[in-house]
Amino acid sequence: MYRSAVAARLLRDTAAAQKGSGWLSSLNHSRRFAHSLPFATVDAEELLGARPAEVQNLVQGKWGGSSRWNTIVDPLNGEPFIRVAEVDEKGIKPFVESLSNCPKHGLHNPFKLPERYLLYGNISSKAGHMLSLPKVSDFFARLIQRVSPKSYQQALGEVQVTQKFLENFSGDQVRFLARSFGVPGNHLGQLSTGFRWPYGPVAIITPFNFPLEIPVLQLMGALYMGNKPLLKVDSKVSIVMEQMMRLLHYCGLPEEDVDFVNSDGKTMNKILMEANPRMTLFTGSSRIAEKLAVDLNGRVKLEDAGFDWKILGPDVGEADYVAWVCDQDAYACSGQKCSAQSILFMHENWAATPLLSKLKELAERRKLEDLTVGPVLTVTTEAMLDHVNKLLKIPGAKLLFGGKPLENHSIPSIYGAVKPTAVYVPLDEILKHGNYELVTKEIFGPFQVVTEYKKSQLSMVLEALERMHAHLTAAVVSNDPLFLQEVIGQSVNGTTYAGLRARTTGAPQNHWFGPAGDPRGAGIGTPEAIKLVWSCHREIIYDIGPVLQLWEIPPST
């Protein structure tokens, strides 16, 4: 039924668009053929070991390969199915030169080539429309599923957020990002004016878990503000962004505006050290984030790991809904979201409800067949189960559900495959020295810690929050305004949902997503995020006079 609906809509879109011209007419012509998209060089359904796809690099406006190829295996069966042209340290010169040739004042700014603000509004409009076409959105959703397995709805959601973001910055919205302000000066002819200014040469490093949404939103934000980015996406999933780059070129993106590199971490670090970008955006692990902050002398914006918490308040209601949100937050995408629910603080009033049994039922209905649970790409099965066993040694700890490997699968052993898991640990034990570090270790997979607190123990919960190091997302599930006030007032997380429908996951295009409490923190998605991450403030003070007619040189001061 789904495919029938898609086909019907595709026919309507094609018929309506036949009257168009230019880039859209070209698309319509190509769509008469069963498997062709005018920008695509691969077919998601045909990524096979017998015919592995190839991912290229883009530098100085030209696509090309490399002398070194990294073979990516299918995360569902271990079959080699993608070859990535990875640049080694001997091949970095063109990338270093390309970044180094970009001036500090950028490719455009309010005083230089302002027409490019309009160009990027145009590109966004066309690319947003492209992603709205069912055949194109399905192409990217399927491609995401192949390299970062998640349910179709989760993959399609990523495409839809990206599409809405591009729509948001169509037309004049790009130039509005560079809006200035003026303040009257001390005398006639003096006026101070504040501008948003690009950094010029910049770098973007993004992870595997959202292979389309994160790189596109950060890349376009960088471009909107006038920067020249070098983009590196985790090689396991870089085929998605390679195809998106080709779509953007098709929609008018100048090929020289962005460089796209595949490499290992060591090589990318060398590129950064030699090219010396003015700003680097890094999304990924805290360990690498801290290394980059040192190597690049603090010229970074970070959206790193998140040990994300949820507090269920004293007012109980809509237990089925709350349980469903908890399941989605902890286990959608197999828990491989930086916003995934890592720990659940449950008020004693909720402990008296069937919440945990409902959560267990929801977790156990997830299955590999529809990818509602699947491969974990950065933590092995053994590592996750070892963590569970260590937690179970804490006095009072118990396994609520899961804690076992997935069965009947062909997921290669380099990846993890475990059933959605929850471990209960008593609150007073969590706060003990030694236990706290273990309990709050982020496991980037389908895993969470659950605990319970009494009304008199809220201060202990708040202490646990204060001691955390990562402050990305959080949820306070309560409609009690005084409870919300107390918890929100004594916590930090940059993206915090509050209310009965609160969640931890969710990075749509309509609100800020990013950490708080760290001056290096990066946001994504909104005008505020783009301006914070991808531009700096520049003040121009006009002082044109006139000089007073009777002015004389005053005494020295």
PDB file of all heavy atoms in Angstrom, residues 405-438:
ATOM      1  N   PRO A 405      22.436 -11.094  23.455  1.00  0.00           N
ATOM      2  CA  PRO A 405      22.710 -10.792  22.033  1.00  0.00           C
ATOM      3  C   PRO A 405      21.468 -11.017  21.183  1.00  0.00           C
ATOM      4  O   PRO A 405      20.587 -11.820  21.521  1.00  0.00           O
ATOM      5  CB  PRO A 405      23.807 -11.790  21.661  1.00  0.00           C
ATOM      6  CG  PRO A 405      24.356 -12.298  22.957  1.00  0.00           C
ATOM      7  CD  PRO A 405      23.236 -12.231  23.942  1.00  0.00           C
ATOM      8  N   LEU A 406      21.385 -10.314  20.058  1.00  0.00           N
ATOM      9  CA  LEU A 406      20.361 -10.628  19.074  1.00  0.00           C
ATOM     10  C   LEU A 406      20.624 -12.020  18.511  1.00  0.00           C
ATOM     11  O   LEU A 406      21.771 -12.489  18.475  1.00  0.00           O
ATOM     12  CB  LEU A 406      20.385  -9.608  17.930  1.00  0.00           C
ATOM     13  CG  LEU A 406      19.891  -8.191  18.227  1.00  0.00           C
ATOM     14  CD1 LEU A 406      20.048  -7.316  16.981  1.00  0.00           C
ATOM     15  CD2 LEU A 406      18.446  -8.197  18.686  1.00  0.00           C
ATOM     16  N   GLU A 407      19.571 -12.670  18.075  1.00  0.00           N
ATOM     17  CA  GLU A 407      19.686 -14.028  17.560  1.00  0.00           C
ATOM     18  C   GLU A 407      19.350 -14.076  16.070  1.00  0.00           C
ATOM     19  O   GLU A 407      18.687 -13.189  15.544  1.00  0.00           O
ATOM     20  CB  GLU A 407      18.740 -14.954  18.343  1.00  0.00           C
ATOM     21  CG  GLU A 407      19.053 -14.993  19.840  1.00  0.00           C
ATOM     22  CD  GLU A 407      17.910 -15.593  20.641  1.00  0.00           C
ATOM     23  OE1 GLU A 407      16.803 -15.721  20.070  1.00  0.00           O
ATOM     24  OE2 GLU A 407      18.122 -15.913  21.819  1.00  0.00           O
ATOM     25  N   ASN A 408      19.819 -15.130  15.426  1.00  0.00           N
ATOM     26  CA  ASN A 408      19.470 -15.415  14.028  1.00  0.00           C
ATOM     27  C   ASN A 408      19.768 -14.232  13.105  1.00  0.00           C
ATOM     28  O   ASN A 408      18.890 -13.682  12.443  1.00  0.00           O
ATOM     29  CB  ASN A 408      17.984 -15.806  13.909  1.00  0.00           C
ATOM     30  CG  ASN A 408      17.642 -17.000  14.766  1.00  0.00           C
ATOM     31  OD1 ASN A 408      18.392 -17.963  14.832  1.00  0.00           O
ATOM     32  ND2 ASN A 408      16.507 -16.927  15.448  1.00  0.00           N
ATOM     33  N   HIS A 409      21.024 -13.832  13.075  1.00  0.00           N
ATOM     34  CA  HIS A 409      21.402 -12.706  12.232  1.00  0.00           C
ATOM     35  C   HIS A 409      22.767 -12.983  11.608  1.00  0.00           C
ATOM     36  O   HIS A 409      23.461 -13.936  11.984  1.00  0.00           O
ATOM     37  CB  HIS A 409      21.439 -11.409  13.041  1.00  0.00           C
ATOM     38  CG  HIS A 409      22.502 -11.386  14.098  1.00  0.00           C
ATOM     39  ND1 HIS A 409      23.834 -11.130  13.825  1.00  0.00           N
ATOM     40  CD2 HIS A 409      22.436 -11.583  15.448  1.00  0.00           C
ATOM     41  CE1 HIS A 409      24.533 -11.164  14.937  1.00  0.00           C
ATOM     42  NE2 HIS A 409      23.709 -11.453  15.940  1.00  0.00           N
ATOM     43  N   SER A 410      23.147 -12.125  10.669  1.00  0.00           N
ATOM     44  CA  SER A 410      24.459 -12.246  10.022  1.00  0.00           C
ATOM     45  C   SER A 410      25.264 -10.954  10.184  1.00  0.00           C
ATOM     46  O   SER A 410      26.137 -10.661   9.369  1.00  0.00           O
ATOM     47  CB  SER A 410      24.274 -12.575   8.530  1.00  0.00           C
ATOM     48  OG  SER A 410      23.415 -11.632   7.916  1.00  0.00           O
ATOM     49  N   ILE A 411      24.957 -10.188  11.229  1.00  0.00           N
ATOM     50  CA  ILE A 411      25.688  -8.956  11.497  1.00  0.00           C
ATOM     51  C   ILE A 411      27.137  -9.309  11.813  1.00  0.00           C
ATOM     52  O   ILE A 411      27.403 -10.160  12.668  1.00  0.00           O
ATOM     53  CB  ILE A 411      25.054  -8.193  12.678  1.00  0.00           C
ATOM     54  CG1 ILE A 411      23.626  -7.765  12.312  1.00  0.00           C
ATOM     55  CG2 ILE A 411      25.899  -6.988  13.080  1.00  0.00           C
ATOM     56  CD1 ILE A 411      22.828  -7.213  13.476  1.00  0.00           C
ATOM     57  N   PRO A 412      28.107  -8.679  11.137  1.00  0.00           N
ATOM     58  CA  PRO A 412      29.513  -9.034  11.381  1.00  0.00           C
ATOM     59  C   PRO A 412      29.934  -8.699  12.806  1.00  0.00           C
ATOM     60  O   PRO A 412      29.407  -7.772  13.437  1.00  0.00           O
ATOM     61  CB  PRO A 412      30.278  -8.189  10.357  1.00  0.00           C
ATOM     62  CG  PRO A 412      29.342  -7.104   9.949  1.00  0.00           C
ATOM     63  CD  PRO A 412      27.966  -7.657  10.080  1.00  0.00           C
ATOM     64  N   SER A 413      30.905  -9.440  13.317  1.00  0.00           N
ATOM     65  CA  SER A 413      31.309  -9.327  14.721  1.00  0.00           C
ATOM     66  C   SER A 413      31.986  -7.997  15.047  1.00  0.00           C
ATOM     67  O   SER A 413      32.124  -7.650  16.220  1.00  0.00           O
ATOM     68  CB  SER A 413      32.252 -10.481  15.089  1.00  0.00           C
ATOM     69  OG  SER A 413      33.403 -10.461  14.262  1.00  0.00           O
ATOM     70  N   ILE A 414      32.406  -7.249  14.016  1.00  0.00           N
ATOM     71  CA  ILE A 414      33.009  -5.938  14.292  1.00  0.00           C
ATOM     72  C   ILE A 414      31.958  -4.948  14.793  1.00  0.00           C
ATOM     73  O   ILE A 414      32.302  -3.894  15.330  1.00  0.00           O
ATOM     74  CB  ILE A 414      33.714  -5.360  13.044  1.00  0.00           C
ATOM     75  CG1 ILE A 414      32.723  -5.227  11.872  1.00  0.00           C
ATOM     76  CG2 ILE A 414      34.912  -6.191  12.659  1.00  0.00           C
ATOM     77  CD1 ILE A 414      33.288  -4.474  10.682  1.00  0.00           C
ATOM     78  N   TYR A 415      30.675  -5.289  14.608  1.00  0.00           N
ATOM     79  CA  TYR A 415      29.586  -4.437  15.072  1.00  0.00           C
ATOM     80  C   TYR A 415      28.866  -5.112  16.237  1.00  0.00           C
ATOM     81  O   TYR A 415      29.035  -6.313  16.482  1.00  0.00           O
ATOM     82  CB  TYR A 415      28.600  -4.154  13.936  1.00  0.00           C
ATOM     83  CG  TYR A 415      29.209  -3.412  12.769  1.00  0.00           C
ATOM     84  CD1 TYR A 415      28.932  -3.789  11.459  1.00  0.00           C
ATOM     85  CD2 TYR A 415      30.063  -2.335  12.971  1.00  0.00           C
ATOM     86  CE1 TYR A 415      29.485  -3.109  10.381  1.00  0.00           C
ATOM     87  CE2 TYR A 415      30.620  -1.643  11.905  1.00  0.00           C
ATOM     88  CZ  TYR A 415      30.330  -2.029  10.618  1.00  0.00           C
ATOM     89  OH  TYR A 415      30.884  -1.355   9.570  1.00  0.00           O
ATOM     90  N   GLY A 416      28.049  -4.346  16.930  1.00  0.00           N
ATOM     91  CA  GLY A 416      27.296  -4.888  18.054  1.00  0.00           C
ATOM     92  C   GLY A 416      25.905  -5.319  17.640  1.00  0.00           C
ATOM     93  O   GLY A 416      25.339  -4.787  16.678  1.00  0.00           O
ATOM     94  N   ALA A 417      25.352  -6.260  18.362  1.00  0.00           N
ATOM     95  CA  ALA A 417      23.993  -6.742  18.084  1.00  0.00           C
ATOM     96  C   ALA A 417      23.396  -7.266  19.386  1.00  0.00           C
ATOM     97  O   ALA A 417      23.593  -8.426  19.749  1.00  0.00           O
ATOM     98  CB  ALA A 417      24.024  -7.835  17.021  1.00  0.00           C
ATOM     99  N   VAL A 418      22.693  -6.388  20.118  1.00  0.00           N
ATOM    100  CA  VAL A 418      22.089  -6.792  21.377  1.00  0.00           C
ATOM    101  C   VAL A 418      20.622  -6.383  21.414  1.00  0.00           C
ATOM    102  O   VAL A 418      20.199  -5.449  20.723  1.00  0.00           O
ATOM    103  CB  VAL A 418      22.817  -6.170  22.595  1.00  0.00           C
ATOM    104  CG1 VAL A 418      24.260  -6.613  22.661  1.00  0.00           C
ATOM    105  CG2 VAL A 418      22.713  -4.659  22.576  1.00  0.00           C
ATOM    106  N   LYS A 419      19.871  -7.094  22.239  1.00  0.00           N
ATOM    107  CA  LYS A 419      18.466  -6.743  22.431  1.00  0.00           C
ATOM    108  C   LYS A 419      18.374  -5.458  23.256  1.00  0.00           C
ATOM    109  O   LYS A 419      19.244  -5.183  24.081  1.00  0.00           O
ATOM    110  CB  LYS A 419      17.754  -7.880  23.161  1.00  0.00           C
ATOM    111  CG  LYS A 419      17.693  -9.174  22.351  1.00  0.00           C
ATOM    112  CD  LYS A 419      16.972 -10.274  23.120  1.00  0.00           C
ATOM    113  CE  LYS A 419      16.896 -11.548  22.275  1.00  0.00           C
ATOM    114  NZ  LYS A 419      16.202 -12.643  23.004  1.00  0.00           N
ATOM    115  N   PRO A 420      17.337  -4.643  23.026  1.00  0.00           N
ATOM    116  CA  PRO A 420      17.152  -3.439  23.838  1.00  0.00           C
ATOM    117  C   PRO A 420      17.216  -3.784  25.324  1.00  0.00           C
ATOM    118  O   PRO A 420      16.549  -4.720  25.787  1.00  0.00           O
ATOM    119  CB  PRO A 420      15.768  -2.945  23.430  1.00  0.00           C
ATOM    120  CG  PRO A 420      15.604  -3.439  22.030  1.00  0.00           C
ATOM    121  CD  PRO A 420      16.280  -4.785  22.007  1.00  0.00           C
ATOM    122  N   THR A 421      18.037  -3.046  26.058  1.00  0.00           N
ATOM    123  CA  THR A 421      18.406  -3.426  27.424  1.00  0.00           C
ATOM    124  C   THR A 421      18.190  -2.278  28.391  1.00  0.00           C
ATOM    125  O   THR A 421      18.445  -1.114  28.065  1.00  0.00           O
ATOM    126  CB  THR A 421      19.887  -3.851  27.453  1.00  0.00           C
ATOM    127  OG1 THR A 421      20.068  -4.985  26.590  1.00  0.00           O
ATOM    128  CG2 THR A 421      20.340  -4.214  28.859  1.00  0.00           C
ATOM    129  N   ALA A 422      17.742  -2.620  29.597  1.00  0.00           N
ATOM    130  CA  ALA A 422      17.625  -1.649  30.690  1.00  0.00           C
ATOM    131  C   ALA A 422      18.112  -2.299  31.978  1.00  0.00           C
ATOM    132  O   ALA A 422      17.760  -3.443  32.283  1.00  0.00           O
ATOM    133  CB  ALA A 422      16.189  -1.172  30.848  1.00  0.00           C
ATOM    134  N   VAL A 423      18.918  -1.561  32.731  1.00  0.00           N
ATOM    135  CA  VAL A 423      19.432  -2.029  34.012  1.00  0.00           C
ATOM    136  C   VAL A 423      19.003  -1.044  35.102  1.00  0.00           C
ATOM    137  O   VAL A 423      19.205   0.170  34.953  1.00  0.00           O
ATOM    138  CB  VAL A 423      20.966  -2.151  33.996  1.00  0.00           C
ATOM    139  CG1 VAL A 423      21.505  -2.490  35.382  1.00  0.00           C
ATOM    140  CG2 VAL A 423      21.405  -3.211  32.984  1.00  0.00           C
ATOM    141  N   TYR A 424      18.409  -1.574  36.166  1.00  0.00           N
ATOM    142  CA  TYR A 424      18.024  -0.739  37.311  1.00  0.00           C
ATOM    143  C   TYR A 424      19.194  -0.642  38.278  1.00  0.00           C
ATOM    144  O   TYR A 424      19.820  -1.660  38.629  1.00  0.00           O
ATOM    145  CB  TYR A 424      16.820  -1.336  38.034  1.00  0.00           C
ATOM    146  CG  TYR A 424      16.448  -0.584  39.298  1.00  0.00           C
ATOM    147  CD1 TYR A 424      15.600   0.514  39.245  1.00  0.00           C
ATOM    148  CD2 TYR A 424      16.973  -0.958  40.533  1.00  0.00           C
ATOM    149  CE1 TYR A 424      15.277   1.224  40.396  1.00  0.00           C
ATOM    150  CE2 TYR A 424      16.665  -0.258  41.685  1.00  0.00           C
ATOM    151  CZ  TYR A 424      15.816   0.830  41.617  1.00  0.00           C
ATOM    152  OH  TYR A 424      15.513   1.530  42.756  1.00  0.00           O
ATOM    153  N   VAL A 425      19.511   0.599  38.716  1.00  0.00           N
ATOM    154  CA  VAL A 425      20.541   0.827  39.726  1.00  0.00           C
ATOM    155  C   VAL A 425      19.961   1.772  40.774  1.00  0.00           C
ATOM    156  O   VAL A 425      19.433   2.836  40.424  1.00  0.00           O
ATOM    157  CB  VAL A 425      21.813   1.458  39.105  1.00  0.00           C
ATOM    158  CG1 VAL A 425      22.882   1.635  40.183  1.00  0.00           C
ATOM    159  CG2 VAL A 425      22.349   0.593  37.965  1.00  0.00           C
ATOM    160  N   PRO A 426      20.035   1.438  42.057  1.00  0.00           N
ATOM    161  CA  PRO A 426      19.489   2.322  43.095  1.00  0.00           C
ATOM    162  C   PRO A 426      20.165   3.691  43.063  1.00  0.00           C
ATOM    163  O   PRO A 426      21.366   3.809  42.817  1.00  0.00           O
ATOM    164  CB  PRO A 426      19.817   1.574  44.396  1.00  0.00           C
ATOM    165  CG  PRO A 426      19.981   0.143  43.994  1.00  0.00           C
ATOM    166  CD  PRO A 426      20.575   0.184  42.620  1.00  0.00           C
ATOM    167  N   LEU A 427      19.377   4.729  43.341  1.00  0.00           N
ATOM    168  CA  LEU A 427      19.873   6.094  43.250  1.00  0.00           C
ATOM    169  C   LEU A 427      21.047   6.354  44.191  1.00  0.00           C
ATOM    170  O   LEU A 427      22.040   6.981  43.797  1.00  0.00           O
ATOM    171  CB  LEU A 427      18.734   7.082  43.550  1.00  0.00           C
ATOM    172  CG  LEU A 427      19.096   8.562  43.499  1.00  0.00           C
ATOM    173  CD1 LEU A 427      19.622   8.960  42.125  1.00  0.00           C
ATOM    174  CD2 LEU A 427      17.869   9.411  43.868  1.00  0.00           C
ATOM    175  N   ASP A 428      20.950   5.877  45.424  1.00  0.00           N
ATOM    176  CA  ASP A 428      22.043   6.145  46.364  1.00  0.00           C
ATOM    177  C   ASP A 428      23.337   5.461  45.933  1.00  0.00           C
ATOM    178  O   ASP A 428      24.439   5.961  46.179  1.00  0.00           O
ATOM    179  CB  ASP A 428      21.656   5.728  47.789  1.00  0.00           C
ATOM    180  CG  ASP A 428      21.258   4.269  47.887  1.00  0.00           C
ATOM    181  OD1 ASP A 428      20.964   3.638  46.857  1.00  0.00           O
ATOM    182  OD2 ASP A 428      21.239   3.737  49.024  1.00  0.00           O
ATOM    183  N   GLU A 429      23.221   4.317  45.244  1.00  0.00           N
ATOM    184  CA  GLU A 429      24.408   3.642  44.734  1.00  0.00           C
ATOM    185  C   GLU A 429      25.008   4.390  43.544  1.00  0.00           C
ATOM    186  O   GLU A 429      26.229   4.423  43.361  1.00  0.00           O
ATOM    187  CB  GLU A 429      24.071   2.205  44.319  1.00  0.00           C
ATOM    188  CG  GLU A 429      23.757   1.277  45.483  1.00  0.00           C
ATOM    189  CD  GLU A 429      24.988   0.986  46.337  1.00  0.00           C
ATOM    190  OE1 GLU A 429      26.116   1.098  45.820  1.00  0.00           O
ATOM    191  OE2 GLU A 429      24.809   0.643  47.524  1.00  0.00           O
ATOM    192  N   ILE A 430      24.149   4.995  42.714  1.00  0.00           N
ATOM    193  CA  ILE A 430      24.640   5.747  41.554  1.00  0.00           C
ATOM    194  C   ILE A 430      25.586   6.852  41.992  1.00  0.00           C
ATOM    195  O   ILE A 430      26.622   7.099  41.360  1.00  0.00           O
ATOM    196  CB  ILE A 430      23.445   6.338  40.756  1.00  0.00           C
ATOM    197  CG1 ILE A 430      22.679   5.231  40.045  1.00  0.00           C
ATOM    198  CG2 ILE A 430      23.935   7.395  39.754  1.00  0.00           C
ATOM    199  CD1 ILE A 430      21.436   5.708  39.313  1.00  0.00           C
ATOM    200  N   LEU A 431      25.261   7.520  43.095  1.00  0.00           N
ATOM    201  CA  LEU A 431      26.027   8.683  43.530  1.00  0.00           C
ATOM    202  C   LEU A 431      27.346   8.338  44.214  1.00  0.00           C
ATOM    203  O   LEU A 431      28.170   9.221  44.448  1.00  0.00           O
ATOM    204  CB  LEU A 431      25.171   9.554  44.464  1.00  0.00           C
ATOM    205  CG  LEU A 431      23.960  10.225  43.803  1.00  0.00           C
ATOM    206  CD1 LEU A 431      23.110  10.939  44.840  1.00  0.00           C
ATOM    207  CD2 LEU A 431      24.402  11.191  42.716  1.00  0.00           C
ATOM    208  N   LYS A 432      27.566   7.079  44.515  1.00  0.00           N
ATOM    209  CA  LYS A 432      28.797   6.691  45.201  1.00  0.00           C
ATOM    210  C   LYS A 432      29.995   6.798  44.266  1.00  0.00           C
ATOM    211  O   LYS A 432      29.907   6.524  43.073  1.00  0.00           O
ATOM    212  CB  LYS A 432      28.682   5.268  45.752  1.00  0.00           C
ATOM    213  CG  LYS A 432      27.730   5.148  46.934  1.00  0.00           C
ATOM    214  CD  LYS A 432      27.681   3.729  47.460  1.00  0.00           C
ATOM    215  CE  LYS A 432      26.743   3.620  48.657  1.00  0.00           C
ATOM    216  NZ  LYS A 432      26.640   2.224  49.156  1.00  0.00           N
ATOM    217  N   HIS A 433      31.109   7.214  44.846  1.00  0.00           N
ATOM    218  CA  HIS A 433      32.349   7.343  44.078  1.00  0.00           C
ATOM    219  C   HIS A 433      32.724   5.988  43.467  1.00  0.00           C
ATOM    220  O   HIS A 433      32.689   4.959  44.137  1.00  0.00           O
ATOM    221  CB  HIS A 433      33.490   7.829  44.977  1.00  0.00           C
ATOM    222  CG  HIS A 433      34.792   7.977  44.261  1.00  0.00           C
ATOM    223  ND1 HIS A 433      35.017   8.959  43.332  1.00  0.00           N
ATOM    224  CD2 HIS A 433      35.937   7.239  44.317  1.00  0.00           C
ATOM    225  CE1 HIS A 433      36.243   8.837  42.851  1.00  0.00           C
ATOM    226  NE2 HIS A 433      36.823   7.800  43.431  1.00  0.00           N
ATOM    227  N   GLY A 434      33.067   5.998  42.215  1.00  0.00           N
ATOM    228  CA  GLY A 434      33.388   4.756  41.513  1.00  0.00           C
ATOM    229  C   GLY A 434      32.199   4.245  40.738  1.00  0.00           C
ATOM    230  O   GLY A 434      32.328   3.872  39.564  1.00  0.00           O
ATOM    231  N   ASN A 435      31.048   4.207  41.384  1.00  0.00           N
ATOM    232  CA  ASN A 435      29.834   3.791  40.678  1.00  0.00           C
ATOM    233  C   ASN A 435      29.386   4.845  39.674  1.00  0.00           C
ATOM    234  O   ASN A 435      28.929   4.516  38.583  1.00  0.00           O
ATOM    235  CB  ASN A 435      28.693   3.527  41.660  1.00  0.00           C
ATOM    236  CG  ASN A 435      28.888   2.259  42.468  1.00  0.00           C
ATOM    237  OD1 ASN A 435      29.766   1.448  42.157  1.00  0.00           O
ATOM    238  ND2 ASN A 435      28.102   2.080  43.506  1.00  0.00           N
ATOM    239  N   TYR A 436      29.488   6.113  40.067  1.00  0.00           N
ATOM    240  CA  TYR A 436      28.932   7.187  39.242  1.00  0.00           C
ATOM    241  C   TYR A 436      29.562   7.198  37.845  1.00  0.00           C
ATOM    242  O   TYR A 436      28.863   7.306  36.838  1.00  0.00           O
ATOM    243  CB  TYR A 436      29.133   8.546  39.913  1.00  0.00           C
ATOM    244  CG  TYR A 436      28.464   9.677  39.160  1.00  0.00           C
ATOM    245  CD1 TYR A 436      27.106   9.930  39.333  1.00  0.00           C
ATOM    246  CD2 TYR A 436      29.178  10.454  38.245  1.00  0.00           C
ATOM    247  CE1 TYR A 436      26.471  10.944  38.617  1.00  0.00           C
ATOM    248  CE2 TYR A 436      28.551  11.460  37.525  1.00  0.00           C
ATOM    249  CZ  TYR A 436      27.207  11.708  37.719  1.00  0.00           C
ATOM    250  OH  TYR A 436      26.588  12.706  37.000  1.00  0.00           O
ATOM    251  N   GLU A 437      30.882   7.065  37.785  1.00  0.00           N
ATOM    252  CA  GLU A 437      31.567   7.086  36.498  1.00  0.00           C
ATOM    253  C   GLU A 437      31.132   5.916  35.624  1.00  0.00           C
ATOM    254  O   GLU A 437      30.994   6.044  34.402  1.00  0.00           O
ATOM    255  CB  GLU A 437      33.090   7.053  36.700  1.00  0.00           C
ATOM    256  CG  GLU A 437      33.664   8.321  37.313  1.00  0.00           C
ATOM    257  CD  GLU A 437      33.318   8.493  38.787  1.00  0.00           C
ATOM    258  OE1 GLU A 437      32.964   7.480  39.452  1.00  0.00           O
ATOM    259  OE2 GLU A 437      33.398   9.636  39.281  1.00  0.00           O
ATOM    260  N   LEU A 438      30.905   4.751  36.243  1.00  0.00           N
ATOM    261  CA  LEU A 438      30.464   3.574  35.503  1.00  0.00           C
ATOM    262  C   LEU A 438      29.036   3.754  34.999  1.00  0.00           C
ATOM    263  O   LEU A 438      28.736   3.500  33.822  1.00  0.00           O
ATOM    264  CB  LEU A 438      30.551   2.332  36.390  1.00  0.00           C
ATOM    265  CG  LEU A 438      30.052   1.017  35.776  1.00  0.00           C
ATOM    266  CD1 LEU A 438      30.892   0.628  34.566  1.00  0.00           C
ATOM    267  CD2 LEU A 438      30.051  -0.089  36.832  1.00  0.00           C
TER     268      LEU A 438
END
